[in-house]
């Protein structure tokens, strides 16, 4: 968070632009990036990712409201490409030793994690993705305050549920259950807190549904057939690029035309 705020302040000062840190966007970028990282991720690398997200994911596009990609996820993608080993090393919340995430354990060892552990969060994973209880409470708060709607999260999650459910019915020994996919990884975090970013997601009602379905489709393909166990981050970034097109296609017609 500190790096995000300082990076934005210095950049705007160098460009001789108005500095308005009270909008909270830089604070939020740093917070969301941290929630996407393992708890033992080095602080220097975290700061580097935060700097990259603010400068290359936001300010070079023109600042708040002009960026195409989610700045926090831009920083996360940069860190994943630069430090793949560091970003894929997780610790157990029980004894502090290195452990696999539920998606890793299933993808490479076919070891299933209990639904109770997935829901409560006593598992290895990124800081903000493990406890589904706390994530859902946060999502309910955002919904009640009117900051987000259910169109993107529901279409995202339902798409993953349907696609992974079909393959689970075909061969349950190879493909995990749809409930496992929903409760594991960053699906809840991404669908409620990142895919709903008002700047990088569609503004039309139909467009938001299309956006969520696209995220769910890409996430499912990566999880089921890709070399990586997780696909939420990549799906949101990819669909961010299609947001202008989705807005154009789903734009409602004016009355009488």
């Amino acid at each position: 968070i500190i790096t995000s705020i300082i990076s934005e302040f210095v950049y705007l000062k160098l460009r001789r632009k108005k500095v308005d840190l009270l909008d909270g966007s830089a604070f939020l970028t740093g917070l969301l990036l941290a929630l996407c990282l393992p708890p033992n991720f080095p602080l220097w690398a975290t700061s580097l990712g935060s700097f990259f997200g603010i400068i290359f994911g936001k300010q070079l596009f023109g600042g708040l409201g002009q960026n195409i990609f989610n700045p926090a996820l831009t920083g996360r993608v940069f860190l994943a490409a630069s430090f793949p080993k560091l970003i894929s090393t997780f610790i157990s919340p029980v004894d502090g030793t290195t452990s696999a995430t539920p998606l890793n354990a299933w993808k490479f060892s076919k070891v299933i994690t209990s639904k109770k552990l997935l829901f409560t969060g006593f598992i290895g994973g990124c800081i903000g993705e493990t406890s589904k209880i706390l994530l859902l409470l946060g999502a309910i708060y955002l919904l009640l305050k009117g900051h987000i709607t259910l169109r993107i999260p529901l279409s995202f999650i339902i798409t993953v549920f349907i696609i992974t459910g079909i393959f689970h019915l075909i061969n349950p020994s190879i493909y995990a259950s749809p409930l496992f996919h929903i409760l594991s990884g960053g699906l809840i975090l991404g669908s409620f807190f990142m895919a709903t970013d008002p700047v990088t997601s569609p503004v039309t009602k139909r467009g938001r549904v299309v956006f969520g379905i696209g995220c769910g489709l890409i996430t499912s393909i990566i999880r089921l057939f890709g070399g990586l166990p997780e696909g939420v981050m990549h799906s949101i970034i990819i669909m961010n690029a299609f947001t202008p097109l989705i807005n154009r296609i789903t734009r409602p017609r004016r009355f009488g035309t």
Side-chain angles (χ1 to χ4, degrees):
I1 292 173
I2 293 173
T3 303
S4 291
I5 294 175
I6 293 176
S7 298
E8 183 155 303
F9 177 82
V10 172
Y11 180 89
L12 292 175
K13 280 294 185 182
L14 291 175
R15 292 294 307 275
R16 297 180 180 179
K17 292 185 176 183
K18 180 183 177 181
V19 179
D20 183 15
L21 300 178
L22 296 180
D23 61 19
S25 61
F27 181 98
L28 187 60
T29 295
L31 176 61
L32 287 176
L33 175 62
L35 295 178
C36 292
L37 298 174
N40 56 328
F41 197 72
L43 293 181
W44 62 266
T46 305
S47 294
L48 186 60
S50 189
F51 167 82
F52 190 91
I54 287 291
I55 302 301
F56 293 91
K58 178 183 177 182
Q59 292 301 335
L60 289 183
F61 284 98
L64 182 63
Q66 305 299 319
N67 52 291
I68 300 175
F69 304 103
N70 184 295
L73 286 180
T74 302
R76 177 61 161 74
V77 169
F78 168 75
L79 292 176
S82 304
F83 312 105
K85 185 175 181 180
L86 290 177
I87 212 164
S88 58
T89 303
F90 301 92
I91 58 174
S92 169
V94 179
D95 53 16
T97 59
T98 301
S99 65
T101 65
L103 282 175
N104 271 304
W106 173 257
K107 182 84 172 182
F108 303 112
S109 304
K110 292 296 180 270
V111 176
I112 197 73
T113 303
S114 72
K115 304 298 189 298
K116 180 180 179 180
L117 290 177
L118 290 173
F119 195 73
T120 56
F122 289 98
I123 51 176
C126 294
I127 294 174
E129 72 178 18
T130 55
S131 178
K132 304 309 178 291
I133 297 176
L134 296 180
L135 285 172
L136 291 175
L137 287 175
I140 291 172
Y141 173 81
L142 292 180
L143 289 167
L144 292 177
K145 296 291 288 186
H147 296 308
I148 65 173
T149 66
L150 283 173
R151 288 184 179 87
I152 290 177
L154 277 186
S155 56
F156 194 162
I157 294 172
I158 290 174
T159 301
V160 172
F161 183 89
I162 292 174
I163 296 176
T164 57
I166 291 173
F167 282 91
H168 177 68
L169 290 175
I170 294 173
N171 194 338
S173 63
I174 296 179
Y175 303 107
S177 69
L179 186 58
F180 171 82
H181 280 283
I182 291 175
L183 294 179
S184 59
L187 182 58
I188 302 297
L189 174 65
S191 61
F192 281 100
F193 298 91
M194 293 186 171
T196 54
D197 175 20
V199 176
T200 58
S201 62
V203 296
T204 64
K205 294 179 179 179
R206 287 187 300 163
R208 290 171 181 172
V209 175
V210 172
F211 184 89
I213 292 174
C215 288
L217 178 62
I218 297 171
T219 297
S220 300
I221 291 174
I222 294 176
R223 285 189 177 188
L224 294 174
F225 309 112
L228 299 173
E230 179 62 284
V232 172
M233 171 186 67
H234 301 85
S235 70
I236 297 175
I237 285 288
I238 291 172
M239 291 305 297
N240 284 162
F242 286 96
T243 293
L245 178 62
I246 295 174
N247 279 330
R248 186 182 308 172
I249 294 175
T250 60
R251 182 174 55 188
R253 292 189 302 171
R254 289 179 297 169
F255 182 75
T257 64

